[in-house]
Amino acid sequence: MAPKTEYAVIGGTETKVDGLEKVTGRTRYADDLSFPNMLYGRFLRSPHAHARIKNIDVSKAAAMPGVHCILTGKDFPIPFGPLPISEDEHVLAIDKAIYVGEPVVAIAASDEATADAACRAVVVDYEELESYMTLEEALAQKGEAIHPDHRGGNVHKEVPLEIGDVEQGFAEAEYLREDVFYYEGNTHMPIEEHACIGVPEGIDKVTLYSSTQNPHYGHRLLGKVLGLSPSRIRVVATPVGGGFGGKCDTFSHEFSACRMALLTGRPVKFTLTREEVFYTHRGRHPVLMWSKIGFKRNGKITAMYFKSFLDGGACGSLGVASTYYTGALQPCSYKIPHYKFEGVRLFTNKPVCGPKRGHGTPQPRTVMETQLDKTAVDLGIDPATLRLINAVEPYSKTVNHFRITSCGLKECIEKVVEASDFRNKWGKLPHGKGIGFAASVYMSGAGVPQYWNNGPHSEVTVKVGRFGEVQCLTGSTDIGQGSMMVHASIVAEVLGLHTRDIMVLNGDTATTPIDLGSYSSRVTFMSGNAALQAARRMRDQIAGVVAESFGVTADRIEFREYKVFNADNPEQSMDWPDACALTESKLGAQSSSGNYTPPDLAGPYKGGTVGPSPAYTFTALAVQVDVDPETGMIKIEKVWCAHDIGFPINHTLVIGQVEGGIYMGLSEALLEEMVYRKNRLKAPSLLDYKTITVAEMPEIETHLICTNDPEGPFGAKEAGQGPLLPAIPALLNAVYDAVGVRIDEVPCSPDKVLFAMEEKAEGGAGRYGPKAFLEHKMTSKPVRAPRPAEWENGNEGRMS
């Protein structure tokens, strides 16, 4: 191939560079898979939390040998966001930077060292603005808003909701419990940093190989921001070395790699450093919460009023959903006759928060479960019994109109009480030792997609070859949770094969059907149902042909142990490969597809689409601790957990997911926090961001409760996120049982325990936590909705 001239693109214009070969416009051969012409991308990031960008001078960087492409915010004028109602991000900062670490300039060079040097050569003229690093500062807004065009200023989202009459419920109460709690933000901490490669594929076509949880949503957003038809973009989700929600969004490095690949005609790779992963964030929101619950003396809840303030960071991301989630699931575990929720999300000049495992629900769950513990102490009811008194029932409807199908909450509570000997330990262990209890609920997938459409949420294709080989094609991604094995298990079970006989191909927008992604614990339930439908359709195709050859009806054909046979005469059988070959000879190439769309379960009010799920899982958990009264150090001795799984398609994978969730919950409870000093992260590194290790992990005794959900594939429900939620409040409750102090702030560090113990010794409350809640007058119109019985009786219409 004759040498050609390549064009290095500087600031959106093409500059001729001699002596380099351009490879666009041809088919990519197999030997190109090693990407020998790879360029390496780096970002120049903002050193300021809030600053106007007055000028960017890239001339010195552009003149450096080995620099092939430089892009600034003007090269990406189209704003984006994972939710269409909150498209407030840009690939590169345009007029101003809004958090320390925001990408301002992207540079692609022949090697990483050159790209780094070029970034250092760029000169940016900033004008610093008033920054907002706390909820209080954001609410006061003394200077220019972070998003000046946003009508709410620094108030991103308000959610005022009331169902029933909360004041009536409080008037009926015989005991009122009111608390303020603060949950510090934290991040996902995947071992694998974010990385991607953009590869040009001919004229105006590009393939993105990325460590992503959601290739479909990425595919959609790449088309929007790059201005290309989706038919010109392919997204391949590579194996993910840890996601936990942190790789759900589509990020600057992915957009930049694709744009640079298209402009230079060469593959462009971005690998974020560990520090950059902290800036990319999308982790757990810091949330300040206030909760008031009314009870009868017998322990029954009469009403609940819950408020939350979310520190959202600089952009929207999935924050609107996060706001709703801080108030959505409280009524799904316990019967609450009247419910009121007010949620407020604020913009601050910090890296953007988003969905971390449990998305928006660990924070309010921690408040509710610690409040129940405090109530149990005051009313003289043991904590497990108090939860049993109020537990939701199977096949019921919550006050906020969420449909409950199978429900093993009571069975989970009773199993943990039995396994841990809770009632004989609670309040009876020696000083310094304690046991705590908590329970939770979580979704088996979100009921609505991130953008409105009427298409299926999951699609799966099953292909069978003439030799009996089976392929299962799914757009879902395996992020370590074992979803590929789940798909293989479902298909193999239907066709009478072994999982090793099923080849699962996943996460490629060009070769696999659509799946919305690996988030909200949706894959087993939703993609699993699609796989089940596709496998059954394939079985029916083969059964029809084999039945005809046997002279029987198709309903008499069974599939088992590599045989297709007549159930009434098992000797009349055919080997699996022969059955496949016969079917192909009669019908041609064999392919079947399945899909899944959850039922419309939205509540009859604005915001009623956030939280409904086709099924919910329930978890109960007890933690036993040893607290050193001299140092405040907490040692976790053992954890007992019971999880309502519906049915475990793969027992080992379920146990792994349950215990992984518990690990993350305990780590958040004890150590994890995003600390800011002087407008920036104090120490964005694995050395300084503390997580518990194998050395601190206790023994976990896990029990699976099978409730066989009627809508789950083979009765299965989620396991990946629900077990995290009760671990945090159970630990806090155990600390109280051990040393008699309440820690109303996460993480529960030794200094907080010592502070509370010293306060108690001096005659104080023996508590560490926020003193007061923020005052804020809602500007959004209140949403009042009827309770389910009132709605079904037709007494009131849809309220908004």
Side-chain angles (χ1 to χ4, degrees), residues 26-219:
R26 67 175 179 85
T27 303
R28 184 164 55 84
Y29 295 103
D31 61 348
D32 289 327
L33 290 174
S34 60
F35 305 128
N37 296 315
M38 187 106 74
L39 299 176
Y40 296 87
R42 282 287 191 263
F43 289 119
L44 175 67
R45 296 177 179 269
S46 170
H48 303 293
H50 197 194
R52 204 174 314 283
I53 299 173
K54 301 178 71 174
N55 185 57
I56 301 176
D57 184 355
V58 301
S59 58
K60 290 183 179 179
M64 295 176 64
V67 173
H68 291 261
C69 186
I70 300 179
L71 301 178
T72 65
K74 294 179 180 179
D75 296 297
F76 294 101
I78 299 175
F80 70 95
L83 298 178
I85 57 173
S86 190
E87 295 181 322
D88 54 14
E89 295 185 58
H90 285 89
V91 176
L92 302 170
I94 297 180
D95 297 318
K96 65 176 182 175
I98 53 180
Y99 63 94
V100 172
E102 182 180 11
V104 177
V105 179
I107 297 179
S110 55
D111 56 70
E112 293 174 335
T114 300
D116 285 333
C119 285
R120 291 192 294 270
V122 174
V123 178
V124 183
D125 184 11
Y126 293 101
E127 177 190 345
E128 286 197 66
L129 302 171
E130 181 82 22
S131 59
Y132 309 101
M133 301 301 294
T134 66
L135 291 169
E136 292 81 1
E137 290 173 354
L139 202 58
Q141 192 184 315
K142 294 181 179 179
E144 180 178 310
I146 295 171
H147 295 279
D149 295 334
H150 181 66
R151 64 182 181 181
N154 286 341
V155 177
H156 175 214
K157 179 65 179 178
E158 294 179 333
V159 179
L161 170 66
E162 183 171 7
I163 302 174
D165 188 335
V166 168
E167 290 306 316
Q168 176 188 329
F170 287 150
E172 296 170 356
E174 296 168 332
Y175 170 87
L176 293 171
R177 178 86 231 174
E178 186 175 329
D179 290 280
V180 182
F181 196 101
Y182 182 68
Y183 197 115
E184 184 58 272
N186 53 65
T187 197
H188 313 85
M189 284 304 297
I191 296 300
E192 175 206 44
E193 297 99 333
H194 298 60
C196 71
I197 303 174
V199 181
E201 305 280 6
I203 300 174
D204 289 337
K205 291 185 179 180
V206 65
T207 295
L208 175 70
Y209 297 89
S210 183
S211 176
T212 177
Q213 295 179 232
N214 300 338
H216 170 68
Y217 288 134
H219 187 222

Side-chain angles (χ1 to χ4, degrees), residues 121 213 375 429 484 497 702:
Q213 295 179 232
T375 300
L429 295 174
M484 292 178 71
L497 306 174
T702 301

